[in-house]
Amino acid sequence: MTPVKSPNKSRPNPLYQKQNRNSLIGSDQQFIQSSVALSFIKEIINMDEIKNIKKWNILYPVYINSKKTIAEGRRICVTKACENPTCTEISDCCNFLKIPCAIELDKAYPRDFMQRGRVRILLKREDGTPYNPAVSSRKQFMIQVAELVRRHPNRTKKQEPASSSAAGSSKSGKGGKKKR
């Protein structure tokens, strides 16, 4: 096939420009992601396992979000899930559990593509032994991370003044006309 030439020779083909621009942006993003992954985990694992980052397990925040239904992507029960987790909170919990992780901010969950980001985790070494003996499966990991996210220091405890004050100061009666 011959390349598509633009009718105006002074202007290059816009399709060709777009493809080149996207390839440059993609390579920069991959470099940033790999440097983030390296900064978190270079002390814990060897360089061979970093090269295989594509084989790591993936954890989307939707998996542990209590506001989502199972059809929307939640994978643990509502009582154990947490409200609206973020990738940075999940990453902090992974670091607390001594599990290698890497944040990918440009990725999105297919069923909820408006929420950006996912976390890649490495639960087991190449020989099959877990990095943290307390976490042996993905389901256990999701439950522990959801519990830790609830207690994350960046989360503020929401007070419930509306429910307690509404019960004590509820008005009953007619609205009536306003006086002039």
Side-chain angles (χ1 to χ4, degrees):
M1 274 181 91
T2 60
V4 178
K5 293 184 179 181
S6 62
N8 187 355
K9 291 186 179 183
S10 63
R11 253 184 18 201
N13 187 352
L15 294 174
Y16 182 72
Q17 280 184 336
K18 185 176 181 182
Q19 184 180 13
N20 285 343
R21 196 175 330 130
N22 285 342
S23 65
L24 289 175
I25 291 170
S27 64
D28 290 342
Q29 287 175 347
Q30 289 174 350
F31 174 74
I32 291 168
Q33 288 172 6
S34 63
S35 64
V36 168
L38 288 174
S39 67
F40 280 124
I41 59 178
K42 67 182 177 183
E43 298 166 358
I44 300 174
I45 60 176
N46 60 13
M47 295 303 287
D48 294 334
E49 292 177 354
I50 292 174
K51 292 177 186 173
N52 295 331
I53 198 165
K54 297 278 185 187
K55 295 181 180 178
W56 290 16
N57 293 328
I58 295 173
L59 179 68
Y60 288 99
V62 174
Y63 291 174
I64 59 173
N65 192 348
S66 64
K67 297 231 176 210
K68 301 289 181 183
T69 63
I70 289 177
E72 290 172 333
R74 181 174 42 82
R75 295 207 175 173
I76 58 175
C77 65
V78 178
T79 58
K80 294 180 181 176
C82 59
E83 232 179 80
N84 299 324
T86 62
C87 289
T88 54
E89 291 172 343
I90 294 171
S91 173
D92 291 342
C93 296
C94 291
N95 291 334
F96 178 77
L97 292 171
K98 304 282 192 268
I99 293 176
C101 67
I103 299 173
E104 296 177 333
L105 294 174
D106 62 328
K107 301 294 183 179
Y109 189 60
R111 292 186 217 166
D112 187 16
F113 55 89
M114 294 303 288
Q115 184 180 1
R116 306 297 287 178
R118 71 180 180 191
V119 180
R120 284 199 181 257
I121 54 171
L122 185 61
L123 292 177
K124 297 181 181 180
R125 294 182 175 90
E126 285 184 12
D127 60 351
T129 59
Y131 275 98
N132 187 346
V135 180
S136 61
S137 68
R138 290 177 63 196
K139 189 81 117 179
Q140 267 187 338
F141 176 73
M142 285 188 273
I143 291 170
Q144 285 191 359
V145 166
E147 183 181 320
L148 289 172
V149 166
R150 274 194 234 130
R151 296 184 286 151
H152 196 271
N154 291 345
R155 291 194 168 232
T156 57
K157 292 187 177 180
K158 295 180 181 178
Q159 297 176 355
E160 298 181 19
S163 63
S164 61
S165 63
S169 64
S170 62
K171 288 186 175 181
S172 61
K174 296 181 181 179
K177 285 189 173 183
K178 293 182 181 177
K179 294 182 181 179
R180 294 185 189 186

